[in-house]
């Protein structure tokens, strides 16, 4: 029976909790596939799961995103076959591995024109951008969006996505270099929140009107200011917790600030329906194949340096996407 190096944790905690063990990889059962990974992706949700912000039963394999070759398919799997190139962002975790058996429903056939490394860097982040722009609230050409952490993995995709749709995107980032990267990727403007009041600057950039939509994956540090950036009836999309979870919200605050709307979506709700997942992936692949979205991979770590990869991500030392090579 084949074996695979697999990253696991036995308890929640810091990056030091990672272990690499060799596991047997069996045959897929009904509705499953066996995939041999070429590359895995790195995402903040991995750190949330590792730390216990999103609790998991222990011990548990880690990693939410990967790309590789399908080795075998179980009974009932019709959209994939052995030998297919494939990529996914999916539950349960387990992508930090040479190979694995996993549910097939959220694994997507990968077009020949997209490299494995690109696919592993973009599935979770790109599908997130797809639901933010296309499935959460109506956003049309000419609307203005505020996007926090615009030089991160999701952010750089969002900058390009917005530009391709005629949407004005104002970004925030923590350094001038990151701001420049966001603008280069399609942001109309980017605010260095370390030396500027982003609320005041957003009001200035919108002639005092505010933005139609805020997309906030940072969480605690930016949530209150984000509400103050919205125009009346605007939509706040809180989709992540990079700085920590958002404190409880007094719902009357939304009325006082202009009848605002707030939602807390997750990718995994959207891709929970297999047909929706495959349609979202095809939309993302079309954007990439058309050149509207180009993946920037700025960090690469081998599997045995997974702890260092997490430390760099959590220290905000990364830009663009990070991949784990196998």
């Amino acid at each position: 029976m084949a074996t695979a190096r697999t990253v696991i944790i036995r308890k929640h905690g810091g990056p030091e909790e990672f272990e690499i063990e060799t596991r047997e990889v069996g045959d897929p059962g009904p509705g499953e596939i066996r995939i041999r990974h070429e590359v895995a992706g790195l995402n903040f949700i991995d750190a949330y799961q590792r730390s216990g912000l999103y609790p998991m039963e222990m011990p548990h394999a880690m990693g939410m995103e990967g790309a590789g070759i399908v080795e075998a398919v179980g009974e009932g799997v019709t959209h994939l076959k052995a030998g297919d190139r494939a990529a996914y962002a999916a539950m349960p975790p387990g992508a930090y591995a040479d190979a694995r058996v996993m549910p097939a429903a959220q694994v997507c056939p990968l077009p020949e024109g997209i490299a494995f490394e690109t696919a592993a860097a973009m599935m979770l982040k790109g599908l997130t951008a797809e639901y933010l722009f296309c499935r959460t609230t109506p956003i049309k050409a000419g609307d203005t969006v505020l996007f926090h952490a615009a030089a991160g993995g999701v952010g750089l995709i969002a900058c390009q996505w917005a530009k391709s749709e005629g949407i004005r995107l104002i970004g925030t980032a923590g350094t001038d270099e990151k701001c420049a990267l966001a603008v280069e990727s399609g942001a109309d403007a980017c605010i260095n929140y370390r030396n500027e009041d982003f609320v005041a600057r957003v009001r200035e950039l919108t002639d005092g009107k505010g933005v139609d939509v805020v997309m906030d994956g940072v969480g605690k540090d930016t949530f209150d200011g984000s509400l103050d950036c919205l125009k009346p009836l605007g939509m706040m999309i809180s989709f992540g917790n990079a700085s920590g979870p958002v404190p409880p919200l007094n719902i009357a605050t939304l009325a006082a600030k202009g009848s605002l709307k707030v939602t807390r979506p997750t990718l995994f709700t959207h891709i929970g329906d297999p047909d929706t997942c495959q349609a979202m992936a095809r939309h993302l692949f079309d954007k990439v194949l058309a050149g509207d979205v180009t993946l920037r991979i700025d960090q690469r770590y081998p599997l045995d340096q997974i702890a260092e990869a997490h430390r760099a991500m959590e220290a905000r030392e990364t830009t663009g996407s990070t991949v784990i090579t196998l």
Side-chain angles (χ1 to χ4, degrees):
M1 184 177 289
T3 60
R5 296 173 300 158
T6 302
V7 174
I8 66 164
I9 55 172
R10 299 187 187 278
K11 63 179 181 178
H12 292 300
E16 69 278 359
E17 297 300 334
F18 285 129
E19 301 177 25
I20 299 178
E21 67 176 28
T22 299
R23 291 183 166 186
E24 291 185 344
V25 183
D27 294 324
E32 294 181 331
I33 64 158
R34 184 173 71 239
I35 185 170
R36 184 153 298 272
H37 295 124
E38 298 284 335
V39 192
L42 181 75
N43 297 281
F44 260 103
I45 191 173
D46 305 347
Y48 302 159
Q49 292 169 340
R50 189 209 70 228
S51 70
L53 180 63
Y54 295 173
M56 299 190 302
E57 293 184 7
M58 297 294 140
H60 212 297
M62 295 295 296
M64 299 293 292
E65 177 179 50
I69 299 289
V70 176
E71 290 189 329
V73 302
E75 182 183 350
V77 177
T78 58
H79 68 292
L80 294 165
K81 64 182 184 303
D84 280 354
R85 305 169 81 251
Y88 66 87
M91 296 285 276
Y96 298 167
D98 293 318
R100 68 183 294 201
V101 170
M102 65 181 294
Q106 278 73 42
V107 182
C108 305
L110 181 65
E112 287 291 341
I114 299 176
F116 288 122
E117 188 177 73
T118 299
M122 79 177 184
M123 290 301 289
L124 194 146
K125 292 173 279 289
L127 292 174
T128 296
E130 204 275 352
Y131 85 70
L132 288 173
F133 283 97
C134 305
R135 299 173 189 271
T136 307
T137 190
I139 305 173
K140 63 184 183 302
D143 285 349
T144 301
V145 169
L146 173 64
F147 197 102
H148 290 295
V154 180
L156 291 181
I157 296 173
C159 290
Q160 297 174 77
W161 199 292
K163 185 175 183 180
S164 75
E165 299 285 343
I167 297 162
R168 183 189 186 197
L169 186 145
I170 300 170
T172 71
T175 68
D176 289 343
E177 291 77 15
K178 288 186 176 183
C179 283
L181 185 56
V183 171
E184 179 186 320
S185 297
D188 184 75
C190 191
I191 303 160
N192 184 340
Y193 61 80
R194 296 192 190 278
N195 56 30
E196 280 194 275
D197 178 342
F198 75 82
V199 177
R201 184 70 176 129
V202 165
R203 288 289 170 181
E204 181 182 335
L205 288 166
T206 59
D207 298 323
K209 296 176 183 177
V211 301
D212 298 282
V213 177
V214 176
M215 299 177 179
D216 187 347
V218 174
K220 176 173 65 70
D221 290 353
T222 51
F223 186 85
D224 290 342
S226 292
L227 294 180
D228 291 330
C229 291
L230 284 165
K231 63 174 57 172
L233 306 179
M235 169 65 85
M236 169 71 176
I237 307 173
S238 177
F239 70 96
N241 322 277
S243 66
V246 174
L249 172 69
N250 180 348
I251 198 167
T253 301
L254 303 179
K257 291 182 182 293
S259 301
L260 305 180
K261 294 163 281 189
V262 175
T263 185
R264 180 54 173 93
T266 72
L267 172 62
F268 297 101
T269 304
H270 285 278
I271 66 174
D273 176 76
D275 291 339
T276 300
C277 177
Q278 299 295 329
M280 290 172 67
R282 287 192 296 270
H283 191 189
L284 173 61
F285 295 155
D286 287 346
K287 284 280 188 187
V288 172
L289 291 170
D292 290 336
V293 171
T294 300
L295 269 291
R296 180 177 172 128
I297 300 170
D298 287 341
Q299 298 81 213
R300 295 168 176 84
Y301 293 88
L303 189 67
D304 60 6
Q305 292 182 18
I306 188 64
E308 181 54 38
H310 270 240
R311 291 188 187 101
M313 176 177 66
E314 292 179 285
R316 309 288 183 87
E317 293 172 358
T318 62
T319 54
S321 295
T322 301
V323 296
I324 309 302
T325 56
L326 298 161

